[in-house]
């Protein structure tokens, strides 16, 4: 057997501890599969005294993770600190400068700096591996980059944030409103330290930017991801979605269009009969559509100590075995110049919910705004009868252009009889 691969782990939070546990418990299996042992040689974390339930007596302890990344006795640095910049970035840059392979679970950092770091890794002849950065334990990076390499992909989409999916699922199942269920998700420890990353779509946007880059061989383009979260989703919309045969899911979607590559994260109405609609609770899923393979669906746990450690281990075993591919599938210089498609040019169907005063002529005014923008209505539901009071009116449209839909909504919002800002949710045709 070849000499052991010596690794250093920066960050001993949930994923760090899970990774050490996996490497300990599966040591023989991993050694057999990698052709050599993987040995944790050094670790770094903020608090040395904290009891993490793991034996660290045989490893070197560093207060300074950046100094650890420069340790000449280390082959691979595993960055599990998190955060787009700061120490995590310092650790990775130092490791690459020292020609050490890097494994990271850091989605924010890869979304912000992925292309530059990939170029640096290439220059130094080492791996930059990030399976754990997207969808936790789901092996989606390797699947898109390697297993589907013989396909042109038309669309990649998924449920990339477990917290949002948990909130939407629980709202539907329990009949409770958003704020109450968010509080529960935070108590259960699902939400990110800053919950706005989960519920405003930021975390999903980070992951989508990385996925799109791998799937379409394009530099990571976080700024090009249109992002909308789930704060405005109400029980009323969830009930109407059910009635119309849909489920509401926060999706990340990267799709090739005539305008270029669309990258968007927003709540979607998805037909209830599709696989993605059945992915509930904290689970994640990614769907890829290739020209030869057709539709591939991957589902699993998108967070948590052991699932994420499973992905870190996959990267470590590849490095140990000498399997090394370009971070985004092709050398950085060969990444595509395919333009990003602006959201205003997006074409799709829409669900619109209005709260209107129940009086004659309201629907005629709404219909006029749609007609003037060439938006064709597909269906309309008006619930209840309450003369002079507010009632919900729901419309669905045929495929139309986002900019026209927005202009029509601005006009509708300005009508005296429309008493709340209109709610708009895009309908996806899967
Ligand atoms: N906060 C993330 C989620 C987990 O809810 O999916 C890690 O990416």
């Amino acid at each position: 057997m070849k000499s052991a691969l010596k690794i250093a782990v920066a960050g001993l939070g949930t994923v760090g501890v899970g990774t050490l546990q996996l490497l300990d418990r599966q040591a023989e299996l991993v050694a057999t599969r990698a052709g050599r042992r993987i040995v944790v040689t050094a670790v770094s974390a903020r608090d040395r005294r904290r009891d993490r339930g793991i034996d660290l007596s045989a490893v070197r302890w560093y207060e300074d993770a950046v100094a650890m990344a420069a340790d000449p006795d280390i082959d691979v640095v595993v960055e599990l600190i998190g955060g787009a910049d700061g120490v995590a970035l310092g650790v990775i840059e130092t490791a690459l400068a020292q020609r050490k392979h890097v494994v990271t679970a850091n989605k924010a950092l890869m979304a912000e700096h992925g292309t530059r770091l990939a170029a640096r890794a290439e220059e130094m002849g080492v791996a930059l591996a990030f399976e754990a950065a997207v969808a936790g334990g789901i092996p989606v990076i390797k699947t898109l980059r390697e297993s589907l390499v013989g396909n042109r992909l038309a669309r990649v989409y998924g449920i990339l944030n477990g917290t949002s999916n948990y909130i939407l699922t629980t709202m539907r199942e329990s009949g409770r409103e958003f704020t109450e269920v968010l509080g529960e998700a935070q108590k259960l420890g699902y939400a990110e330290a800053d919950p706005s990353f989960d519920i405003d779509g930021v975390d999903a946007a980070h992951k989508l930017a990385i996925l799109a880059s791998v799937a379409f061989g394009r530099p990571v383009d976080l700024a090009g991801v249109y992002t909308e979260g789930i704060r405005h989703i109400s029980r009323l919309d969830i009930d109407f979605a059910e009635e119309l045969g849909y489920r509401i899911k926060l999706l990340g979607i990267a799709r090739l269009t005539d305008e270029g590559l669309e990258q968007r994260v927003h709540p979607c109405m998805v037909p209830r009969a599709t696989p993605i609609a059945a992915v509930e609770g904290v689970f994640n899923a990614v769907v890829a559509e290739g020209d030869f393979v057709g539709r591939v669906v991957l589902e699993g746990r998108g967070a948590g100590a052991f699932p994420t450690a499973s992905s870190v281990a996959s990267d470590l075993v590849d490095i140990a075995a000498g399997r090394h591919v370009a971070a985004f599938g092709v050398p950085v210089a060969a990444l595509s110049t395919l333009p990003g498609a602006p959201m205003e040019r997006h074409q799709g169907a829409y669900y619109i919910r209005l709260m209107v005063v129940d009086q004659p002529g309201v629907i005629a005014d709404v219909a006029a705004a749609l007609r003037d923008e060439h938006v064709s209505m597909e269906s309309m539901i008006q619930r209840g009868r309450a003369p002079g009071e507010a009632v919900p009116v729901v419309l669905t449209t045929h495929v139309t252009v986002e900019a026209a839909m927005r202009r029509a909504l601005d006009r509708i919002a300005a009508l005296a009889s429309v008493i709340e800002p209109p709610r708009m949710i895009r309908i996806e045709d899967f």
Side-chain angles (χ1 to χ4, degrees), residues 107 160-163 190 192 198 203 207 302-303:
K107 57 232 160 161
L160 302 174
N161 183 266
T163 304
Y190 292 152
E192 293 281 302
D198 293 302
D203 176 71
K207 294 167 181 168

Side-chain angles (χ1 to χ4, degrees), residues 15-365:
V15 179
V17 170
T19 299
L20 296 192
Q21 288 173 327
L22 185 153
L23 292 174
D24 179 42
R25 291 191 210 165
Q26 314 278 56
E28 298 308 320
L29 184 75
V30 163
T32 307
R33 291 176 176 173
R36 61 201 287 205
R37 301 192 82 78
I38 296 178
V39 177
V40 180
T41 304
V43 295
S44 176
R46 250 179 298 183
D47 182 1
R48 186 171 190 161
R49 283 155 304 173
R50 208 172 107 201
D51 180 11
R52 297 174 169 86
I54 42 175
D55 179 11
L56 294 171
S57 54
V59 299
R60 280 198 295 286
W61 183 280
Y62 277 89
E63 300 296 332
D64 178 354
V66 177
M68 180 178 73
D71 183 334
D73 193 35
I74 301 290
D75 303 310
V76 183
V77 174
V78 183
E79 185 278 304
L80 303 173
I81 296 169
D85 299 289
V87 182
L89 185 59
V91 165
I92 292 180
E93 285 176 334
T94 304
L96 295 178
Q98 303 288 322
R99 294 189 195 280
K100 296 180 198 308
H101 303 288
V102 168
V103 173
T104 179
N106 192 332
K107 57 232 160 161
L109 180 142
M110 284 303 297
E112 297 270 3
H113 307 291
T115 314
R116 178 172 66 78
L117 294 174
R120 184 71 169 140
E122 241 171 79
E123 184 193 337
M124 303 311 275
V126 292
L128 171 65
F130 50 93
E131 185 63 77
V134 180
I138 305 178
V140 63
I141 300 297
K142 209 174 167 80
T143 302
L144 293 178
R145 187 179 57 198
E146 292 156 56
S147 312
L148 298 181
V149 71
N151 289 264
R152 283 185 194 282
L153 300 178
R155 180 163 63 178
V156 173
Y157 59 95
I159 294 174
L160 302 174
N161 183 266
T163 304
S164 300
N165 204 46
Y166 170 83
I167 292 172
L168 293 172
T169 302
T170 307
M171 283 174 72
R172 183 178 57 77
E173 287 175 350
S174 70
R176 284 178 292 152
E177 282 294 357
F178 172 79
T179 320
E180 200 184 328
V181 181
L182 168 64
E184 184 182 297
Q186 284 174 302
K187 273 194 213 124
L188 289 168
Y190 292 152
E192 293 281 302
D194 178 352
S196 75
F197 270 45
D198 293 302
I199 59 183
D200 294 328
V202 179
D203 176 71
H206 287 149
K207 294 167 181 168
L208 181 73
I210 300 168
L211 273 190
S213 187
V214 174
F216 297 95
R218 196 171 171 268
V220 190
D221 176 18
L222 180 62
V225 181
Y226 171 84
T227 307
E228 220 181 83
I230 61 166
R231 283 181 201 264
H232 64 279
I233 301 294
S234 75
R235 266 304 318 236
L236 206 50
D237 298 314
I238 288 177
D239 290 345
F240 276 119
E242 286 293 305
E243 185 170 340
L244 292 164
Y246 295 114
R247 285 264 149 92
I248 300 178
K249 295 288 178 192
L250 180 73
L251 296 188
I253 302 172
R255 180 175 76 150
L256 272 185
T257 71
D258 294 342
E259 311 278 342
L261 186 72
E262 255 185 16
Q263 298 184 88
R264 47 195 172 93
V265 169
H266 53 73
C268 297
M269 295 265 178
V270 298
R272 231 176 15 226
T274 53
I276 202 94
V279 177
E280 299 280 44
V282 290
F283 278 80
N284 282 197
V286 177
V287 182
E289 295 168 354
D291 51 357
F292 273 66
V293 72
R295 183 164 74 184
V296 174
V297 183
L298 301 171
E299 187 198 355
R301 294 187 185 277
F306 286 178
T308 314
S310 165
S311 287
V312 172
S314 159
D315 284 341
L316 286 171
V317 169
D318 273 354
I319 291 168
R323 292 190 292 266
H324 175 179
V325 293
F328 297 108
V330 296
V332 168
L335 288 172
S336 143
T337 54
L338 176 71
M343 196 60 196
E344 310 82 70
R345 308 277 273 274
H346 166 72
Q347 294 194 31
Y350 294 80
Y351 158 98
I352 308 297
R353 178 176 58 80
L354 311 172
M355 293 304 287
V356 303
V357 182
D358 191 1
Q359 64 189 22
V362 176
I363 298 302
D365 291 342

